Amino acid sequence: MNLDEVADELYGLDPGQFTAARTAREKEARAAGDRELAAQIKALRKPSLSAWLANQLIRDRQEQIEPLLALGEQLRELQASVSADQLRALTQQRHRLVYAVAQEARALGHERGQAISDDVARELEQTLHAALGDPEAAEAVRSGRLTNALQYAGFGPVGPGPAPVATPKPKASKPADDDLAVRRKERTEQLRRAREEAEEVVDRARASLVDAEASREESARALAEVEQRLQDARDRVDQLRLDLDDAEAAVNSVEHDAKAARRADEAARKSAQLAAQRVAGAEHRLAELPEP
């Protein structure tokens, strides 16, 4: 076990797994007697959510982020030799490409069970812009071990620089003209390839968006069905409660009638007893009378 292996493992994990895994690897290093490695592992910082997204792009969507980083290299090479209009067009392309890759990363985050807010998505876009504008930032993104979002400082001035001093311009020789034409052709070809790669990434992102929207529509339909079933169940509960109220009222009425019937029965029983007593008395008196 070495630091590179541990770092590659940790920065590929989901955010909720990072701390526990780092602690476990630190303990393993200490148990192996490598206190220096244990201290280095302990010093590894947990990535922010936007940094985690950038790290996962390198691991799981490299075929999409590499064209973006390559475009950054080409932009840095070309920005001093293209016109302001061309540079603005490239900048617009850069923004579209960054947005498309950020949306793909957002979908990747959702696939991994992470809720990606708009603020986190903007931080990721900022990191990608930084990678386009700065080779060191690009390498940091390629490492797959970012811990925080990177800052984008821009590609430098777009307008013209200081006016040059007027000096006689030597007449260019034919070979120099040929070299310039070759360089221009190479730059044009680089721009064409960069645009094609950017368009491919945008197309993939759009396809992913279509799939995500279809999935969202299906989820919305499923949710509507569940909510309808829930409403139906609530309606049935309400009806059952009404039926229960009616049944309880009927029970109360029957109980009232039963009490009245019990009282009437008790009165009838007492009347019967009194009548029986009267019959017995009359029979007794009859028995005491002499025969005629």
Side-chain angles (χ1 to χ4, degrees):
M1 181 173 63
N2 58 50
L3 185 61
D4 283 336
E5 292 174 349
V6 174
D8 284 339
E9 175 194 1
L10 294 181
Y11 289 110
L13 296 175
D14 290 344
Q17 301 172 329
F18 183 91
T19 302
R22 180 183 60 190
T23 301
R25 294 294 176 263
E26 178 192 354
K27 289 181 178 178
E28 289 177 12
R30 290 189 185 279
D34 195 336
R35 298 175 63 86
E36 181 180 357
L37 177 59
Q40 291 172 333
I41 294 174
K42 185 177 181 179
L44 294 175
R45 296 178 58 191
K46 179 179 178 180
S48 66
L49 192 52
S50 63
W52 174 81
L53 275 179
N55 294 338
Q56 305 324 301
L57 278 175
I58 286 295
R59 286 169 167 78
D60 296 342
R61 299 290 191 274
Q62 190 169 17
E63 75 282 359
Q64 296 185 21
I65 195 172
E66 274 300 336
L68 176 67
L69 300 178
L71 176 62
E73 295 173 0
Q74 294 165 347
L75 287 173
R76 290 192 296 272
E77 292 175 358
L78 295 174
Q79 65 177 350
S81 58
V82 297
S83 67
D85 289 340
Q86 289 174 315
L87 187 58
R88 278 192 291 271
L90 289 173
T91 300
Q92 291 175 356
Q93 177 190 358
R94 181 195 74 210
H95 282 291
R96 288 194 298 269
L97 183 56
V98 165
Y99 178 79
V101 173
Q103 293 307 304
E104 178 66 21
R106 200 168 187 173
L108 175 61
H110 286 297
E111 290 175 10
R112 299 280 291 271
Q114 301 297 320
I116 308 301
S117 67
D118 292 339
D119 288 341
V120 171
R122 281 192 290 270
E123 285 185 3
L124 176 62
E125 291 182 26
Q126 186 181 58
T127 296
L128 296 177
H129 280 302
L132 281 169
D134 183 3
E136 292 183 1
E139 288 307 309
V141 170
R142 280 194 176 100
S143 74
R145 300 179 188 177
L146 290 181
T147 58
N148 286 299
L150 301 178
Q151 297 295 319
Y152 169 61
F155 283 97
V158 175
V165 178
T167 56
K169 184 177 180 180
K171 184 176 181 180
S173 62
K174 185 65 169 60
D177 290 340
D178 291 342
D179 289 343
L180 180 59
V182 169
R183 287 196 298 273
R184 286 177 176 172
K185 183 177 180 181
E186 290 176 349
R187 288 169 183 167
T188 301
E189 180 63 21
Q190 287 175 334
L191 283 174
R192 185 190 64 79
R193 287 198 302 269
R195 286 174 179 170
E196 288 178 352
E197 292 169 350
E199 288 171 355
E200 288 177 2
V201 173
V202 170
D203 289 342
R204 286 195 296 270
R206 285 174 177 166
S208 177
L209 177 60
V210 169
D211 292 340
E213 289 178 344
S215 177
R216 183 184 61 185
E217 290 176 358
E218 183 177 353
S219 299
R221 286 194 298 269
L223 176 60
E225 292 176 0
V226 171
E227 288 180 341
Q228 184 59 52
R229 291 201 303 271
L230 176 61
Q231 185 59 49
D232 292 343
R234 286 173 175 166
D235 291 342
R236 288 195 298 273
V237 169
D238 291 340
Q239 184 59 51
L240 289 172
R241 284 174 177 163
L242 291 174
D243 294 343
L244 178 61
D245 290 341
D246 292 342
E248 288 178 344
V251 168
N252 290 335
S253 177
V254 172
E255 287 180 346
H256 180 270
D257 293 343
K259 289 179 181 178
R262 290 190 192 102
R263 288 194 297 270
D265 179 69
E266 180 64 19
R269 186 183 62 80
K270 289 180 180 180
S271 295
Q273 287 178 348
L274 181 59
Q277 290 172 358
R278 288 173 179 169
V279 169
E283 288 177 346
H284 179 71
R285 288 192 298 272
L286 178 61
E288 290 180 347
L289 292 174
E291 291 290 337

